């Protein structure tokens, strides 16, 4: 299987080499903010400078969204970021893993052993199991800006053991909800933000919709979200991505074939030729395809979302298709909590700023969005004289240290009683 993957990658890059010789390089890519007019929208447009400086540098790879996507999803991880892992045993005895990002000088410290007051950034990777370059780069940038990044790993994914035969359905936020409760118990005085990547954004949408005003998040962001996963599974993504994702899923599940083979028809799984077939084998043994998506549609409770959410999408996304067919523009035009940044280029999660080895423009936008949202909410509280009454909005103070990195701190606030953890395993 490894040889087949190498041949496939070689074929991809040969095609890319031909394309790049013929590509016409645009001098600049623009960004469009789609949202319902509001005071927050006006404030964001004036304060988020990154929105006005999208990919100003000219570089040839911008004409190749497929290559940008490959570089962001399969490229090398950021070597400056290390992770300290915490295993959480859930209410049904399943395990999920939280990877707390630290810099090289911090990797020997136990990041979760003390109550933290710095803002926490929860990252929800795509549903196919590996931390991507996009996620690791965001961890590095977040560390520089004073955040405490933590990556949520689903059952059995990214080295997390599979302790039960229950896997996590596409849009079931139960595991994520328990993980967030644990994070809040460890960091009760911290602001909490979240970012979902690709299919991982669906899990974040589900959580925000189910929890509503009790999500405990200050703001959230999504990079290249898939808004209609059922249609995406049924229509099938382009051949290249279909093959890569099929191979990834089959390699992942082969680790647990002995255990899962007792409850699932894995011969159908490994013989499947589409992502829909794999999804049906894993989750539709006791329910229909229609019922599965009735319960797992990420936008099923979208009207209950009660925190600002920024979505970054590209018009040349090679995995999702044309925006007019895949983006719910009416959601952004009518719901005051949803904001869409639609770019001309960037591929799928490949919003590089200058080159394929450089920084991601999307990361700058998200962090500016979080900072601007907090500043706006604090200003609104002061103007209305309600800061003391709310009590759940900690005061955020941003300063500059000598190294130029942003340092953020917040005053602890009273938190309600939350889940009493009986078992947590730390490695």
């Amino acid at each position: 299987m490894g040889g087949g993957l190498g041949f496939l990658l070689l074929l991809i890059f040969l095609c890319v080499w031909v394309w790049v010789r013929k590509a016409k390089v645009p001098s600049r890519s623009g960004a469009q903010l789609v949202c319902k007019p509001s005071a927050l929208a006006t404030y964001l447009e004036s304060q988020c400078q990154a929105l006005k400086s999208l990919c100003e540098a000219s570089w040839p790879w911008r004409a190749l969204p497929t290559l940008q996507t490959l570089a962001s999803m399969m490229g090398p991880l950021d070597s400056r970021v290390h992770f300290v892992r915490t295993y959480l045993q859930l209410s049904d005895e399943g395990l999920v893993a939280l990877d707390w990002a630290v810099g090289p000088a911090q990797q020997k410290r136990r990041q979760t052993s003390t109550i933290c007051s710095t803002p926490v950034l929860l990252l929800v990777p795509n549903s196919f199991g590996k931390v991507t370059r996009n996620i690791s780069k965001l961890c590095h940038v977040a560390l520089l800006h004073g955040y405490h990044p933590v990556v949520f790993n689903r059952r059995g994914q990214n080295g997390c053991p599979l302790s039960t035969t229950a896997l996590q359905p596409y849009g079931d936020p139960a595991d994520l909800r328990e993980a967030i409760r644990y994070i809040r118990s460890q960091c009760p005085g911290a602001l909490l933000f979240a970012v979902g990547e690709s299919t991982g954004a669906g899990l974040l949408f589900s959580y925000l919709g189910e929890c509503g005003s009790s999500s405990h998040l200050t703001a959230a962001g999504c990079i290249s979200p898939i808004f209609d996963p059922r249609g995406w599974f049924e229509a099938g993504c382009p051949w290249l991505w279909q093959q890569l994702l099929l191979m990834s899923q089959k390699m992942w599940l082969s680790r647990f074939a002995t255990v899962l083979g007792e409850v699932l028809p894995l011969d159908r799984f490994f013989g499947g030729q589409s992502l829909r077939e794999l999804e049906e084998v894993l989750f539709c043994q006791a329910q229909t395809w229609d019922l599965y998506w009735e319960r797992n549609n990420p936008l099923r409770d979208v009207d209950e979302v009660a925190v600002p959410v920024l979505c970054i999408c590209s018009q040349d996304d090679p995995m999702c298709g044309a925006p007019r067919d895949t983006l719910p523009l009416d959601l952004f035009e009518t719901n005051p909590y949803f904001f869409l940044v639609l770019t001309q280029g960037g591929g799928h999660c490949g919003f590089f700023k200058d080159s394929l080895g450089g920084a991601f423009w999307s990361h700058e936008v998200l962090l500016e969005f979080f900072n601007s949202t907090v500043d706006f909410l604090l200003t609104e509280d002061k103007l209305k004289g309600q800061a003391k009454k709310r009590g759940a909005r900690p005061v955020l103070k941003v300063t500059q240290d000598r190294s130029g990195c942003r340092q953020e701190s917040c005053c602890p606030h009273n938190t309600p009683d939350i889940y009493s953890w009986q078992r947590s395993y730390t490695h």
Side-chain angles (χ1 to χ4, degrees):
M1 186 170 287
L5 178 60
F7 175 78
L8 182 60
L9 291 176
L10 177 61
L11 179 62
I12 292 169
F13 282 104
L14 284 175
C15 294
V16 165
W17 182 81
V18 174
W19 291 341
V20 76
R21 293 178 63 87
K22 299 180 180 180
K24 295 181 179 180
V25 183
S27 58
R28 180 185 176 95
S29 294
Q32 175 187 3
L33 180 63
V34 181
C35 60
K36 181 178 181 179
S38 66
L40 176 57
T42 301
Y43 188 83
L44 292 174
E45 287 186 302
S46 63
Q47 296 299 316
C48 292
Q49 298 301 315
L51 288 173
K52 306 172 184 178
S53 59
L54 170 61
C55 299
E56 292 186 351
S58 177
W59 52 285
W61 304 112
R62 189 179 302 148
L64 302 170
T66 297
L67 183 58
Q68 293 178 68
T69 303
L70 283 170
S72 67
M73 304 296 281
M74 303 179 65
L77 303 184
D78 196 308
S79 60
R80 295 165 293 184
V81 178
H82 303 269
F83 295 98
V84 176
R85 170 160 290 191
T86 300
Y87 289 109
L88 301 181
Q89 186 168 28
L90 307 175
S91 56
D92 69 345
E93 299 187 353
L95 286 179
V96 296
L98 296 176
D99 289 338
W100 299 84
V102 296
Q106 302 172 301
Q107 57 182 311
K108 293 184 179 181
R109 290 170 48 190
R110 287 280 296 277
Q111 293 297 298
T112 60
S113 59
T114 60
I115 295 178
C116 61
S117 59
T118 55
V120 176
L121 179 59
L122 174 63
L123 305 177
V124 184
N126 66 73
S127 59
F128 295 98
K130 285 291 185 181
V131 173
T132 62
R133 183 185 185 187
N134 177 53
I135 290 293
S136 68
K137 284 282 189 180
L138 181 52
C139 285
H140 174 67
V141 174
L143 284 170
L144 293 180
H145 284 73
Y147 289 82
H148 196 180
V150 54
V151 179
F152 172 78
N153 298 285
R154 294 171 176 81
R155 304 173 184 223
Q157 294 191 345
N158 194 26
C160 180
L162 185 63
S163 59
T164 70
T165 56
L167 299 173
Q168 183 173 1
Y170 189 95
D172 182 358
D175 292 357
L176 181 61
R177 186 186 303 114
E178 291 196 51
I180 288 177
R181 287 172 179 167
Y182 174 78
I183 292 172
R184 292 185 62 241
S185 73
Q186 297 298 297
C187 308
L191 290 171
L192 179 58
F193 303 90
V195 174
E197 171 199 50
S198 185
T199 53
L203 188 59
L204 184 55
F205 285 145
S206 294
Y207 172 78
L208 292 172
E210 282 199 6
C211 294
S213 59
S214 300
S215 69
H216 305 295
L217 296 181
T218 300
C222 297
I223 304 175
S224 298
I226 297 177
F227 293 97
D228 180 21
R230 175 175 181 170
W232 186 71
F233 275 101
E234 291 177 347
C237 59
W239 179 86
L240 168 63
W241 305 109
Q242 183 100 268
Q243 298 307 309
L244 288 175
L245 294 176
L246 282 172
M247 188 178 301
S248 172
Q249 284 291 82
K250 292 178 181 180
M251 291 177 63
W252 159 64
L253 205 67
S254 64
R255 297 178 52 206
F256 312 111
T258 301
V259 174
L260 293 180
E262 299 177 0
V263 295
L264 295 174
L266 291 189
D267 53 336
R268 286 176 50 202
F269 179 90
F270 291 110
Q273 298 300 311
S274 70
L275 293 174
R276 172 176 177 170
E277 291 181 68
L278 272 56
E279 195 78 3
E280 285 187 298
V281 169
L282 294 180
F283 302 109
C284 296
Q285 297 304 306
Q287 61 183 328
T288 65
W289 181 249
D290 290 338
L291 182 58
Y292 175 71
W293 285 111
E294 182 179 333
R295 295 172 174 173
N296 288 276
N297 179 6
L299 302 183
R300 61 190 180 277
D301 296 314
V302 69
D303 291 338
E304 301 299 323
V305 175
V307 300
V309 181
L310 179 69
C311 300
I312 303 177
C313 301
S314 172
Q315 296 186 42
D316 65 355
D317 191 317
M319 289 184 65
C320 294
R324 64 179 179 275
D325 301 323
T326 59
L327 297 184
L329 296 178
D330 57 332
L331 170 64
F332 298 97
E333 294 169 349
T334 59
N335 191 315
Y337 288 108
F338 280 84
F339 301 84
L340 171 66
V341 173
L342 184 59
T343 69
Q344 294 180 12
H348 190 78
C349 300
F351 300 93
F352 292 94
K353 187 173 182 180
D354 296 312
S355 67
L356 293 182
F360 284 76
W361 169 84
S362 53
H363 300 167
E364 295 182 6
V365 173
L366 286 173
L367 296 182
E368 279 197 10
F369 170 73
F370 294 153
N371 289 334
S372 298
T373 298
V374 170
D375 291 342
F376 175 83
L377 294 176
L378 291 175
T379 301
E380 288 292 296
D381 278 348
K382 292 178 181 178
L383 291 176
K384 296 178 180 179
Q386 296 178 346
K388 292 184 179 180
K389 291 183 180 180
R390 290 187 180 183
R393 186 76 63 186
V395 178
L396 184 72
K397 184 178 180 182
V398 181
T399 59
Q400 292 274 43
D401 68 359
R402 294 180 181 178
S403 64
C405 297
R406 296 171 64 89
Q407 300 294 318
E408 308 188 16
S409 60
C410 54
C411 299
H413 60 284
N414 296 326
T415 56
D417 292 335
I418 57 176
Y419 190 89
S420 178
W421 289 93
Q422 298 179 351
R423 291 168 293 198
S424 63
Y425 299 88
T426 304
H427 172 66

